Amino acid sequence: MVQIPNPPAPATPAPTRSVPTSADVARLAGVSRATVSYVLNNARAVRISEPTRRRVREAARELGYVPHAAARSLRAGHSRMVLMPAPAFPVGPLYSRFINELQAALSLLDYTVVQYGTVGVHDDEAARAWAELRPVAVLVPGSGLGPRGVEVLKRSGARAVVTLGPETVEGAHALLMDHDVVGYSAGAHLFDTGRRRIGVVVPGERGLDTFSAPRLAGVRAAVRGTDATVTELPLAHDEEAAASLAGRWRDLGLDAVFTYNDEYAMLLMRALQDEGVRIPEETAVVGADDLMLGRLLRPRLSTVHLELPSGRELADLVDRAVNDPSASPEAHKVLGARVIRRDST
């Protein structure tokens, strides 16, 4: 007689964890579902005490509750996504710090910041790609976006388009960053300290001409009508190019140089010192951006300190535009500059 073993008992399915809902958050916080919605959607039209807001947020955090973005967008009529196309030019520490501050300020206003790559698309073509994501606002660094691109974004539901560049664009809010003032400050400082043969570094990196051209023009404007001369100095951001320029420095007969920014200043100063050029006795050097590394150089680097708007100021502009999309576009000049003199001039 063959004994057939009993079939194994079916495995007990693992209990499924239910997805927390706004009702769960309301029960834990001891408030209504409407209050949960008002708090988590950052509704400003309803007055809710700060202790209640904290209790709701803590309950949502404890339960792991995350509002449904699509449902929230349907209720509000728009998303809370702020799209920031990545700039097509190389960015340095100053710009990165500014963007980080802006993202933090927008997060406090309950916006989600998404950065979008720019490879392969340009100008108004890029605007169509951004519009597919249906952002509530778009912050566009640099130049290139035109009125048609702004219109594409607004037809797709963007309530605010803000440009950060040298000029306004029809239909968009504008933070005007006129880089002439950076070059003007450097040129005026060098002239006032007795320098008359001024070189200006023009970076070879693609995309930086948007900033380098007005900075060069600013230096020229600072010494126009005087006995000073300005010499344009194209320079790639590598040691070989800097060494080549330093090797013919004395033939150029320059007694000062504005290096576009602190990073180019560090590159060129090292090469000039390797050639035995004494700074500032033979050549004064001024950078821009006021990076901490410039203070660690010897001699310490004189620099143009750029005064940018705070991230909170720009976040407030975005929020105003989102809440009142029919308002006339605002334009603000936001770039200031002043020289901080150290040992290199």
Side-chain angles (χ1 to χ4, degrees):
M1 180 176 178
V2 179
Q3 188 172 8
I4 300 175
N6 294 327
T12 303
T16 57
R17 178 177 293 180
S18 60
V19 177
T21 66
S22 60
D24 298 325
V25 176
R27 277 193 294 272
L28 184 59
V31 298
S32 69
R33 291 182 64 180
T35 299
V36 170
S37 177
Y38 293 143
V39 171
L40 298 184
N41 288 313
N42 201 31
R44 297 187 174 188
V46 181
R47 295 178 62 86
I48 299 173
S49 69
E50 189 53 37
T52 300
R53 289 180 182 274
R54 280 199 302 271
R55 199 161 68 247
V56 170
R57 292 192 184 106
E58 287 168 4
R61 206 161 31 240
E62 181 178 335
L63 293 171
Y65 173 74
V66 178
H68 194 291
R72 183 165 65 174
S73 297
L74 285 173
R75 286 194 301 271
H78 57 80
S79 74
R80 300 292 291 179
M81 180 201 301
V82 176
L83 190 68
M84 294 188 64
F89 50 84
V91 298
L94 183 69
Y95 184 85
S96 298
R97 188 164 63 243
F98 169 67
I99 293 303
N100 288 339
E101 184 182 334
L102 170 60
Q103 289 178 325
L106 285 168
S107 296
L108 290 175
L109 295 174
D110 199 37
Y111 292 98
T112 299
V113 180
V114 175
Q115 286 208 331
Y116 187 96
T118 57
V119 176
V121 290
H122 305 283
D123 304 335
D124 291 343
E125 178 189 353
R128 285 187 284 275
W130 306 334
E132 291 180 6
L133 299 176
R134 298 297 190 268
V136 71
V138 183
L139 306 182
V140 187
S143 57
L145 182 71
R148 292 177 64 183
V150 173
E151 184 61 27
V152 166
L153 290 167
K154 289 189 172 181
R155 282 203 307 267
S156 74
R159 297 165 71 91
V161 180
V162 182
T163 60
L164 293 81
E167 56 192 18
T168 60
V169 179
E170 183 182 343
H173 300 272
L175 295 180
L176 299 172
M177 296 187 175
D178 181 1
H179 283 259
D180 289 58
V181 69
V182 180
Y184 190 96
S185 298
H189 171 75
L190 290 170
F191 184 84
D192 290 344
T193 54
R195 308 295 171 155
R196 294 297 181 266
R197 301 179 305 281
I198 303 171
V200 178
V201 167
V202 177
E205 291 180 275
R206 184 178 179 182
L208 290 184
D209 55 312
T210 299
F211 310 103
S212 63
R215 291 186 184 193
L216 172 61
V219 175
R220 286 180 169 149
V223 300
R224 187 172 294 126
T226 72
D227 59 344
T229 61
V230 175
T231 301
E232 184 176 341
L233 302 171
L235 179 62
H237 196 261
D238 64 63
E239 291 180 286
E240 185 177 342
S244 175
L245 177 57
R248 54 190 178 88
W249 195 259
R250 289 191 172 95
D251 294 335
L252 293 170
L254 303 176
D255 63 6
V257 60
F258 170 51
T259 59
Y260 172 72
N261 68 11
D262 289 353
E263 292 174 312
Y264 274 88
M266 291 182 244
L267 177 70
L268 184 56
M269 277 181 64
R270 180 71 272 167
L272 289 172
Q273 289 170 329
D274 287 346
E275 284 291 324
V277 176
R278 292 174 299 128
I279 300 172
E281 293 82 2
E282 291 183 71
T283 300
V285 180
V286 176
D289 292 351
D290 192 16
L291 301 183
M292 186 181 70
L293 285 175
R295 300 169 220 169
L296 305 181
L297 296 178
R298 294 297 180 270
R300 292 176 178 86
L301 179 63
S302 296
T303 186
V304 181
H305 177 84
L306 274 60
E307 296 167 347
L308 294 168
S310 70
R312 179 58 186 269
E313 289 173 311
L314 179 50
D316 286 343
L317 169 60
V318 171
D319 196 45
R320 284 199 307 274
V322 167
N323 289 316
D324 188 6
S326 62
S328 299
E330 300 178 28
H332 304 278
K333 288 187 176 181
V334 296
L335 184 61
R338 58 185 174 86
V339 171
I340 298 178
R341 185 175 185 179
R342 298 194 178 102
D343 304 337
S344 66
T345 61

